[in-house]
Amino acid sequence: MGTNNKDVFIIADNVYSPIGITTQQNFEQVKNGVSGVQKHDRPDLSDVSISASIFNKDQVFISGEHNYTKFEQLLIASVTDALSYTDIKIDDPKTGLIISSTKGNISLLETEENNETLQKRISLNTSAQLIAGHFGFVNQPIIISNACISGVMAIVTGMRMIQSGQYNQVVVTGADVISKFVVSGFQSFQALSSERCKPFDKNRTGLNLGEGAATVILSGDEKYKGNIRVTGGGISNDANHISGPSRTGQELGGAIIKAINNAGVKAEDIGLVSAHGTATPYNDEMEAKAITLAGLQNAPVNGLKAFYGHTLGAAGLIETVLAKQCMEQNTLLPTLGFKETGTAPLNITTAVNHVEIKHGVKTASGFGGCNGALVLSK
């Protein structure tokens, strides 16, 4: 059984992406097969055209006069919407804030003069203080920046903060924006696909990048008894290679098993796996092996990257919120672009399907060999 039996409930959430600015809008769009990933000619982002899910240049995230960057505006917009569904007190000393991002304001390096002021402005710590100040959080915000598992790790951390008794509720939010810096990094790995990505498919050729934000508000208050809970988490590292994932999948497999054990459930109880599914040749193969090692090869598996692209620090959050929606509505979402198995065999969902889901697993892996998994339960 889990080490701590304190329930941690998801009491509100938001997904803010190019295909919708509320969780509901996003869920409907994905259900209807609407993808944010399109071909773009954006010399400001890339010398060649890229397939990505990005906001329109003129999109307004928050109105009025302010000095927030696009990254910070996205976080504020997402948190504001999520908070509107709750009555939690932000200035309560028992309320925590976690911010997940991989790159934050790094794009300012492209437009501003590199000096001490810029170094301070780019720091994730600066953004975190600005966000906390905007809403009036009294606790020091916690930043989680651990490559592509940041979002999943942030939710697991929030769960543990509540289980420790130190916090009663935690606002977990994450965002990333696409910049030339980010695009060129993935181009140097030859990891980007020129067309919409195909997670787990035999003909997959790489990932698409995406931008977006998401927020999950967690609470330990028993009055939310009917809500979906975060019941387990596991984090591991391959210690294998700076950018290449483990060849065996053992370490992500271990993180999934740890999360399932922590939740006090069994592999056969899992009715949905929301995979990381970046659609790169190595990641999907590793993840398929890991899911199999954890005994989940028969559970329905979906990957949402062909709808959102890889939103980096927001990915684990966006995909967890959609997994929660799947569970609430007993609906499996399609894995867009998947036609033919190109990895160790999994039960990949290809259409909207109605089925009872009591427990779900969300996985994530990232550069540096980091892996994360969490369990959601009804």
Side-chain angles (χ1 to χ4, degrees):
M1 283 299 285
T3 47
N4 194 316
N5 53 14
K6 188 170 171 59
D7 283 334
V8 177
F9 306 95
I10 297 180
I11 63 167
D13 50 71
N14 163 271
V15 174
Y16 200 112
S17 82
I19 57 172
I21 62 168
T22 63
T23 296
Q24 216 46 55
Q25 280 176 12
N26 276 276
F27 190 73
E28 289 309 312
Q29 294 276 58
V30 171
K31 224 166 67 175
N32 296 327
V34 177
S35 169
V37 178
Q38 312 294 340
K39 263 206 155 62
H40 296 273
D41 288 302
R42 288 280 300 269
D44 58 323
L45 297 177
S46 167
D47 300 336
V48 294
S49 72
I50 54 166
S51 290
S53 175
I54 48 185
F55 291 105
N56 291 332
K57 272 187 153 171
D58 52 6
Q59 170 113 12
V60 175
F61 304 110
I62 58 174
S63 50
E65 286 297 304
H66 58 77
N67 291 321
Y68 298 117
T69 61
K70 180 178 170 182
F71 162 64
E72 290 150 7
Q73 290 176 53
L74 264 174
L75 289 171
I76 289 170
S78 180
V79 171
T80 301
D81 180 61
L83 283 173
S84 72
Y85 310 109
T86 76
D87 55 3
I88 67 165
K89 296 198 169 18
I90 290 300
D91 58 359
D92 179 344
K94 290 274 198 177
T95 301
L97 171 65
I98 300 178
I99 295 176
S100 153
S101 182
T102 65
K103 291 289 167 274
N105 282 322
I106 201 80
S107 63
L108 295 178
L109 277 174
E110 293 158 30
T111 52
E112 313 294 317
E113 191 188 332
N114 189 0
N115 53 29
E116 212 173 310
T117 312
L118 181 71
Q119 294 293 332
K120 189 171 177 339
R121 188 67 189 88
I122 276 179
S123 154
L124 279 171
N125 183 42
T126 303
S127 296
Q129 298 298 343
L130 287 169
I131 303 301
H134 176 89
F135 291 103
F137 285 90
V138 293
N139 284 312
Q140 182 84 340
I142 290 171
I143 298 161
I144 302 248
S145 186
N146 189 6
C148 305
I149 74 164
S150 301
V152 165
M153 193 168 167
I155 297 171
V156 172
T157 304
M159 170 192 81
R160 290 172 179 169
M161 281 160 63
I162 290 171
Q163 287 176 341
S164 76
Q166 204 179 341
Y167 293 85
N168 292 339
Q169 54 270 324
V170 178
V171 176
V172 185
T173 186
D176 264 305
V177 298
I178 300 309
S179 61
K180 199 162 200 166
F181 181 95
V182 172
V183 174
S184 62
F186 280 92
Q187 282 170 336
S188 72
F189 278 117
Q190 296 175 329
L192 294 186
S193 171
S194 57
E195 55 201 41
R196 188 178 293 149
C197 70
K198 304 180 181 76
F200 299 103
D201 189 74
K202 189 175 147 201
N203 299 313
R204 66 190 186 277
T205 54
L207 60 82
N208 306 134
L209 288 166
E211 49 190 13
T215 302
V216 168
I217 302 180
L218 303 174
S219 170
D221 192 328
E222 286 296 322
K223 73 175 182 191
Y224 299 106
K225 244 185 179 15
N227 291 33
I228 302 266
R229 294 166 294 146
V230 184
T231 49
I235 310 289
S236 69
N237 195 289
D238 300 345
N240 169 60
H241 188 273
I242 192 164
S243 64
S246 154
R247 292 292 184 262
T248 63
Q250 212 176 333
E251 298 81 5
L252 173 60
I256 300 170
I257 292 166
K258 199 190 287 184
I260 291 174
N261 290 344
N262 185 219
V265 297
K266 296 185 175 69
E268 53 269 30
D269 301 331
I270 305 298
L272 164 72
V273 177
S274 170
H276 191 55
T278 59
T280 56
Y282 292 127
N283 176 81
D284 288 12
E285 179 57 42
M286 182 280 284
E287 195 172 12
K289 286 176 177 168
I291 289 168
T292 305
L293 283 170
L296 300 177
Q297 64 277 20
N298 299 323
V301 174
N302 82 356
L304 297 175
K305 297 282 193 292
F307 292 102
Y308 291 102
H310 192 340
T311 53
L312 307 174
L317 280 153
I318 290 175
E319 294 159 16
T320 297
V321 172
L322 270 88
K324 168 191 168 274
Q325 286 295 114
C326 288
M327 290 172 68
E328 285 182 342
Q329 307 195 21
N330 289 316
T331 301
L332 293 172
L333 294 172
T335 303
L336 193 63
F338 177 83
K339 290 196 171 47
E340 198 184 337
T341 298
T343 63
L346 294 174
N347 177 12
I348 306 283
T349 58
T350 54
V352 174
N353 234 327
H354 295 282
V355 31
E356 171 75 19
I357 309 167
K358 288 209 168 77
H359 303 275
V361 164
K362 170 77 201 116
T363 59
S365 301
F367 287 148
C370 53
N371 305 292
L374 61 82
V375 179
L376 298 177
S377 303
K378 268 188 184 155

